[in-house]
Amino acid sequence: MITVGLILGIAGACRTDELVNLTVDDIEDVGSSLIVKIPNTKTKIPRIFVVTDVENMLELFRKYLSLRPPHAKHKRLFLYYKAEKCSSQPVGKNTMGKIPSVVASYLKLPDVACYTGHCLRKSSATLLADAGVDITTIKRHAGWKSTTVAEGYVENSIENKTKIANQVLVDTTTSAITKTVNVSESNIPSNINFENCTNVTFNLNVNK
């Protein structure tokens, strides 16, 4: 249950409530991918996202789905899992919201309690921002009406901040101090000889 919740939560930037309310009818297995529909959202904007077969994600989903008891009287996707089988009891909001903290505990991360259900949605947006995805796409993927939140993820992206740092500290510095000068043999002083030179750096002090 945790693994499938993690996959769908990050792939679709899902809120905890959206995962809890997912039904088996909301997911279509088309062979090479899963098409997931989120019909009811906080912003009243239905969303659709796709899960592709990366790191055997589809196999993990299908294995979990196969454990669903045939006598279940509801269509909720997430059921309690124990002893390698699922019960017919659907997973509640509190249990679903603890998935990030369970993963953080497994990874031995500090401050485990800080990893709430919102981390799945936040991780999805952060991964997109780090990949250089534009604000409009991030906004549409997560179903935000305003661009303010999406802009925040882009602005706080470590990858973007690293690129900016390189542009400020490397590119601009290099362009500021680098200049190509065409030198011909006719204007080289006779007492200077150049033979088989590579990667030569000249420091010139020019007094005007």
Side-chain angles (χ1 to χ4, degrees):
M1 188 277 289
I2 292 176
T3 302
V4 175
L6 192 66
I7 292 171
L8 296 180
I10 293 179
C14 295
R15 299 177 177 88
T16 301
D17 286 343
E18 293 170 349
L19 290 174
V20 169
N21 294 322
L22 266 180
T23 71
V24 291
D25 293 338
D26 293 327
I27 302 178
E28 181 182 1
D29 189 340
V30 295
S32 60
S33 62
L34 303 175
I35 300 176
V36 185
K37 299 177 182 178
I38 308 292
N40 300 310
T41 69
K42 181 179 178 180
T43 57
K44 310 300 181 184
I45 302 176
R47 301 199 314 277
I48 295 178
F49 66 90
V50 174
V51 178
T52 55
D53 197 12
V54 179
E55 300 293 335
N56 295 321
M57 290 184 181
L58 300 189
E59 181 181 344
L60 291 170
F61 171 80
R62 290 164 184 156
K63 181 178 180 180
Y64 177 72
L65 194 63
S66 69
L67 298 175
R68 183 180 184 84
H71 59 273
K73 296 181 180 180
H74 58 82
K75 292 189 176 183
R76 292 262 291 275
L77 172 66
F78 288 103
L79 306 174
Y80 278 99
Y81 176 83
K82 188 177 182 180
E84 298 185 356
K85 62 181 181 180
C86 290
S87 69
S88 59
Q89 182 180 356
V91 171
K93 183 176 180 179
N94 291 336
T95 300
M96 187 66 70
K98 291 179 181 178
I99 288 180
S101 64
V102 172
V103 175
S105 179
Y106 176 79
L107 296 175
K108 301 185 185 319
L109 299 178
D111 302 320
V112 172
C114 295
Y115 294 86
T116 65
H118 186 67
C119 288
L120 301 181
R121 185 168 169 80
K122 183 177 180 180
S123 295
S124 182
T126 300
L127 289 170
L128 288 177
D130 285 347
V133 176
D134 61 88
I135 293 175
T136 301
T137 300
I138 296 176
K139 175 184 172 184
R140 186 182 300 115
H141 175 67
W144 286 308
K145 290 183 178 180
S146 171
T147 60
T148 303
V149 179
E151 287 174 346
Y153 285 108
V154 174
E155 291 174 0
N156 292 323
S157 166
I158 297 301
E159 291 294 330
N160 283 340
K161 288 185 180 296
T162 301
K163 291 177 183 178
I164 292 172
N166 287 334
Q167 291 172 340
V168 172
L169 301 177
V170 179
D171 295 345
T172 56
T173 303
T174 301
S175 62
I177 64 174
T178 302
K179 185 176 182 180
T180 301
V181 179
N182 294 321
V183 180
S184 62
E185 293 184 0
S186 61
N187 56 21
I188 299 177
S190 59
N191 60 340
I192 298 178
N193 295 319
F194 295 95
E195 295 182 0
N196 300 322
C197 296
T198 59
N199 298 323
V200 179
T201 300
F202 292 96
N203 295 316
L204 301 179
N205 295 318
V206 180
N207 296 320
K208 294 184 178 180

